Amino acid sequence: MQETRLPDTARLFIALGAAAMALGVALGAFGAHVLDGRLAPGLVRAYRTGVEYHLVHGLGLLAVGAMALRVPASRPLAWAGALMAAGIVLFSGSLYLLALTGARWLGAVTPFGGVAFIAAWVTLAYAALRARGDRNQDTSCEAHPVGGRAPTGQNPRGETGPTSSHSR
């Protein structure tokens, strides 16, 4: 079996997204099992908000990584992923620290993370709109294991003509 190498951008954001999701789940469990009942209700709400946005944007990083499989050299896409990661650190991180320490000044950091999140989603939309499909690009099953349609030429079995992974 031939080893498939992911483009660097895709590998980076899929790994960051998976790590963010794992950390978000762990922090959510910590909040539910350790912090509930030990912190003031307002601080628990802030912590839960941090977890919620952390997990949503972890999925966003996975989406950036998935899109980078198709357009690995997209600068706007890389910016979208970097902004999402920064948003998780600034927004969710400040809410976690606020809840755990009670340091109210951290609330001033949170909006910067929110702006990073908004900018990330706008930049991701821009990257998607800029991406152009190349009709001559090889989208056969070997090039894309999830499936796809080869426009013309030989399919992975050496046959000519259009093919689909669903026709096998």
Side-chain angles (χ1 to χ4, degrees):
M1 179 174 201
Q2 184 180 4
E3 183 179 321
T4 302
R5 179 153 164 68
L6 293 176
D8 290 342
T9 306
R11 190 174 69 240
L12 171 67
F13 289 115
I14 290 170
L16 275 176
M21 293 300 292
L23 182 60
V25 170
L27 289 169
F30 175 75
H33 298 290
V34 176
L35 298 181
D36 255 350
R38 292 187 181 175
L39 295 179
L43 293 177
V44 171
R45 275 193 305 278
Y47 189 89
R48 285 182 181 158
T49 299
V51 170
E52 180 182 334
Y53 279 76
H54 185 145
L55 291 171
V56 166
H57 291 87
L59 290 174
L61 286 169
L62 291 174
V64 168
M67 192 170 158
L69 291 170
R70 300 292 289 175
V71 283
S74 170
R75 283 185 190 261
L77 189 58
W79 271 103
L83 286 164
M84 278 192 200
I88 291 171
V89 170
L90 293 172
F91 185 91
S92 297
S94 66
L95 289 177
Y96 297 146
L97 290 172
L98 171 67
L100 295 172
T101 67
R104 298 275 179 207
W105 67 268
L106 288 164
V109 175
T110 309
F112 291 103
V115 169
F117 285 151
I118 294 165
W121 289 110
V122 169
T123 306
L124 181 61
Y126 175 73
L129 292 172
R130 271 193 63 201
R132 303 233 191 300
D134 182 0
R135 294 195 183 274
N136 296 321
Q137 189 176 26
D138 179 16
T139 56
S140 66
C141 293
E142 277 188 0
H144 303 284
V146 215
R149 208 174 269 281
T152 57
Q154 288 192 343
N155 65 23
R157 293 177 291 177
E159 302 164 338
T160 58
T163 137
S164 167
S165 61
H166 305 292
S167 64
R168 291 188 190 163

